[in-house]
Amino acid sequence: MASDKEFVDFVLDQIEDAGEITAKRMFGEWGLFSDGKIFALICDNKLFIKPTKAGRDFIGTPVEAPPYTGAKPSFLIEDQLEDREWLSHLVRISLKELPEPRPRKKGNQAKHP
């Protein structure tokens, strides 16, 4: 089941204090990015944050689940979705710890007319 645009907009609104965040459609679901760095997925109207040590320390005992079949487990955020301050802080500390995106090779870039 694909995620609703309304749910994506809700999550973006909840984390607006975390910085410049964009959502991109990916394979029928959504990826959340900051400065080209993917830090979360929204799948089946659920928010999955990439796991980091700082995020784990902040959450305490995170619920972990794969966002889709075959994916590595991520932090599944459910109960704290309504807590803007908590969620924005989690995104900020997670982004600091995630690696910078690899530069794309010229041959792999999509060509536009």
Side-chain angles (χ1 to χ4, degrees):
M1 173 179 100
S3 296
D4 300 326
K5 177 75 166 92
E6 294 78 23
F7 182 79
V8 174
D9 291 340
F10 169 75
V11 171
L12 290 174
D13 187 55
Q14 291 297 92
I15 59 175
E16 68 182 359
D17 293 338
E20 188 78 24
I21 308 294
T22 57
K24 291 184 185 177
R25 248 171 122 63
M26 300 174 64
F27 311 108
E29 293 294 353
W30 296 84
L32 301 184
F33 295 81
S34 178
D35 294 323
K37 189 186 298 188
I38 188 165
F39 67 90
L41 295 174
I42 295 177
C43 299
D44 293 330
N45 286 339
K46 296 178 185 170
L47 176 62
F48 298 87
I49 305 273
K50 283 192 168 192
T52 61
K53 182 182 180 325
R56 186 176 306 281
D57 291 345
F58 176 67
I59 295 170
T61 307
V63 174
E64 294 187 65
Y68 55 88
T69 305
K72 294 179 182 178
S74 293
F75 298 152
L76 174 58
I77 309 302
E78 294 177 302
D79 297 338
Q80 299 91 348
L81 273 178
E82 297 288 335
D83 188 340
R84 297 169 67 108
E85 188 176 315
W86 185 94
L87 194 55
S88 292
H89 183 71
L90 174 61
V91 169
R92 284 192 300 272
I93 63 174
S94 296
L95 282 168
K96 286 180 186 176
E97 204 170 300
L98 290 170
E100 292 299 319
R102 287 185 243 156
R104 298 176 125 206
K105 293 180 182 176
K106 289 189 183 241
N108 290 346
Q109 292 180 346
K111 295 180 181 175
H112 298 284

